[in-house]
Amino acid sequence: MPREPSIEGGEPAPIAAAVGSEVRRSVRRSDLKAVGEVRRELRELMRHRCRAEAADVAELLVTELVTNALVHTDHGAEVSASVRAARLRVEVRDFNPQRVRPFVPSADDGTHGRGLLLVEALADAWGVDPLALGRGKVVWFELDAGGPHT
């Protein structure tokens, strides 16, 4: 059974668990290679439960959220994904209480700053929920994942 990571100054341990229609994973701070592993685990979760197009969108959006959490905070992140009644919900918890907002980057800003704009444009629903006592936030999105053959 995965153990809960330490919030007080510790980094989350690299754990992963897949139970039925759910995936949970902790990613260590600055472990950007783990982003690809999270994508693969999400794809596997969705493989027999969702349309391929929904899986493609979900992979893109989880990449953006996990990368943001690892690049913009001093701790790691916890990722959870579940499929219930053809609806995918992905949550990325980080340990920074600063609220995130999508913004339009300038033309010379390269590719930075577009992640939340993609989430806003492609997710059926999304949001940011602060955690109690300033211990971080959860950025989440939901997709109508349909069935694999719809």
Side-chain angles (χ1 to χ4, degrees), residues 101-114:
R101 291 181 187 83
F103 70 97
V104 179
S106 64
D108 61 346
D109 202 13
T111 59
H112 298 288
R114 291 173 171 78

Side-chain angles (χ1 to χ4, degrees), residues 2 6 35-36 41 61-62 75 77 79 81 85 100 105 107 113 122 125 135 137 141 150:
S6 168
V35 176
E41 290 170 21
L61 300 185
V62 78
H75 298 283
V79 182
V100 297
L122 298 174
R135 291 192 172 181
K137 64 188 164 297
F141 69 86
T150 59

